[in-house]
Amino acid sequence: MHKEMTLRTEDVVHYALNLMANGAPQDFNQLYRERQFQRVAQVIDEACMVMDFSYEKRANFYTYVYNRLVCKVPVDYLEFGVATGESFRAWLGLSKHAESRFFGFDSFEGLPENWQADSPKGAYSTGGQVPQVDDSRATFVKGLFQQTVDDFSLGFKPQNRLVLHMDADLYSSTLYVLMTLNRHIRPGTLILFDEFTARGFTDEYAALEDYCTACCRSYQVRARRRDFVKLAVEITA
Ligand SMILES: C[S@@+](CC[C@H](N)C(=O)[O-])C[C@H]1O[C@@H](n2cnc3c(N)ncnc32)[C@H](O)[C@@H]1O
């Protein structure tokens, strides 16, 4: 046992030189996530629908999730990252039940930190404007998640099948929401991710993994775009 745990000096030096040559620490994080993902990917396709669709046709994905996974029952739909409300409106159109409830969370000031090169801090801002939606089932909660979601979570009484739609792109935003809503997340809760593996494996995918590790949760992937960028999971424990 002791022998197995002993590190040889030359291995440590080789490892450190490798890290330096490859630009640690971000690359190390990326490598760690990629290895983690490879393990998860081995079981990801059990009972999973694989779909091909472009970004513009992503409503087809929502339709599949609503019809086949939600099974058309009333929903409590919570979307994190609303911007102009495109995906929010698509979900309003999918569920016609009077009992369905739709909550959209956003600062409407854009991303609170830099993400990809073409999505810097402030990207997707609507200048604080909340989308105009003529549907009494819809509520918008304006502000940083870190300032709004905790109070919402404390007062929220789920009434329908819970569907979370994570479209905030960032690790920090996604992880904060999942941790803060943990008290409401149950086996059967569906969680959609819009950019699951968009920047390697460091944002929405990493947030889901870290949430599941911290809160002893597990999930099954129920539907995905072939490239794993858009994905729906069902919480299983
Ligand atoms: C990609 S956009 C959402 C796109 C939208 N779902 C659609 O279909 O058009 C990401 C949004 O997340 C919001 N966002 C990200 N992190 C946030 C945070 N911590 N608090 C509030 N809003 C946040 C940004 O303001 C931005 O509007």
Side-chain angles (χ1 to χ4, degrees):
M1 182 69 174
H2 182 255
K3 195 163 180 253
E4 277 171 25
M5 289 174 66
T6 306
L7 283 173
R8 293 183 313 163
T9 311
E10 63 256 43
D11 287 341
V12 176
V13 171
H14 177 73
Y15 178 71
L17 287 174
N18 236 340
L19 278 185
M20 285 160 68
N22 291 315
Q26 280 114 324
D27 288 1
F28 175 71
N29 190 30
Q30 176 74 5
L31 194 66
Y32 165 73
R33 295 298 183 186
E34 276 174 27
R35 289 202 176 133
Q36 189 187 40
F37 183 77
Q38 280 160 16
R39 279 200 309 274
V40 174
Q42 286 168 8
V43 291
I44 222 164
D45 275 337
E46 288 167 12
C48 173
M49 175 71 174
V50 180
M51 298 175 71
D52 291 300
F53 56 92
S54 64
Y55 179 82
E56 291 70 31
K57 294 272 166 73
R58 64 194 168 138
N60 294 347
F61 185 62
Y62 308 153
T63 303
Y64 174 83
V65 172
Y66 181 67
N67 289 348
R68 303 298 293 276
L69 304 181
V70 177
C71 300
K72 303 185 186 178
V73 299
V75 286
D76 283 341
Y77 173 83
L78 277 56
E79 183 171 300
F80 297 90
V82 173
T84 55
E86 216 176 286
S87 48
F88 192 85
R89 285 193 187 84
W91 272 89
L92 274 173
L94 276 176
S95 176
K96 302 289 186 198
H97 293 280
E99 315 91 275
S100 284
R101 301 184 300 172
F102 300 84
F103 298 91
F105 298 79
D106 204 307
S107 64
F108 300 102
E109 305 284 353
L111 298 180
E113 58 190 75
N114 290 333
W115 188 49
Q116 296 183 337
D118 59 353
S119 303
K121 181 175 175 177
Y124 312 110
S125 173
T126 62
Q129 289 297 308
V130 175
Q132 292 298 308
V133 168
D134 187 18
D135 191 321
S136 59
R137 302 173 303 162
T139 305
F140 292 108
V141 181
K142 185 176 171 180
L144 272 180
F145 303 155
Q146 288 84 343
Q147 291 163 358
T148 59
V149 179
D150 194 32
D151 278 355
F152 174 87
S153 178
L154 288 170
F156 181 57
K157 305 262 182 294
Q159 294 173 5
N160 300 305
R161 180 84 186 267
L162 186 60
V163 179
L164 308 180
H165 189 167
M166 312 306 300
D167 194 3
D169 301 339
L170 300 166
Y171 172 79
S172 57
S173 302
T174 310
L175 181 63
Y176 181 83
V177 168
L178 292 174
M179 295 296 294
T180 309
L181 288 179
N182 182 49
R183 60 172 67 85
H184 300 299
I185 294 173
R186 304 261 177 277
T189 297
L190 286 169
I191 312 180
L192 281 82
F193 294 89
D194 193 71
E195 304 283 356
F196 195 63
T197 55
R199 192 177 58 178
F201 303 93
T202 49
D203 282 288
E204 294 181 5
Y205 165 71
L208 176 66
E209 281 299 319
D210 290 352
Y211 160 69
C212 287
T213 303
C215 295
C216 305
R217 298 293 196 163
S218 53
Y219 65 88
Q220 184 171 28
V221 178
R222 299 296 309 278
R224 68 168 169 92
R225 200 166 82 170
R226 192 169 298 280
D227 60 2
F228 294 98
V229 169
K230 308 217 183 296
L231 195 127
V233 308
E234 181 170 344
I235 295 295
T236 51

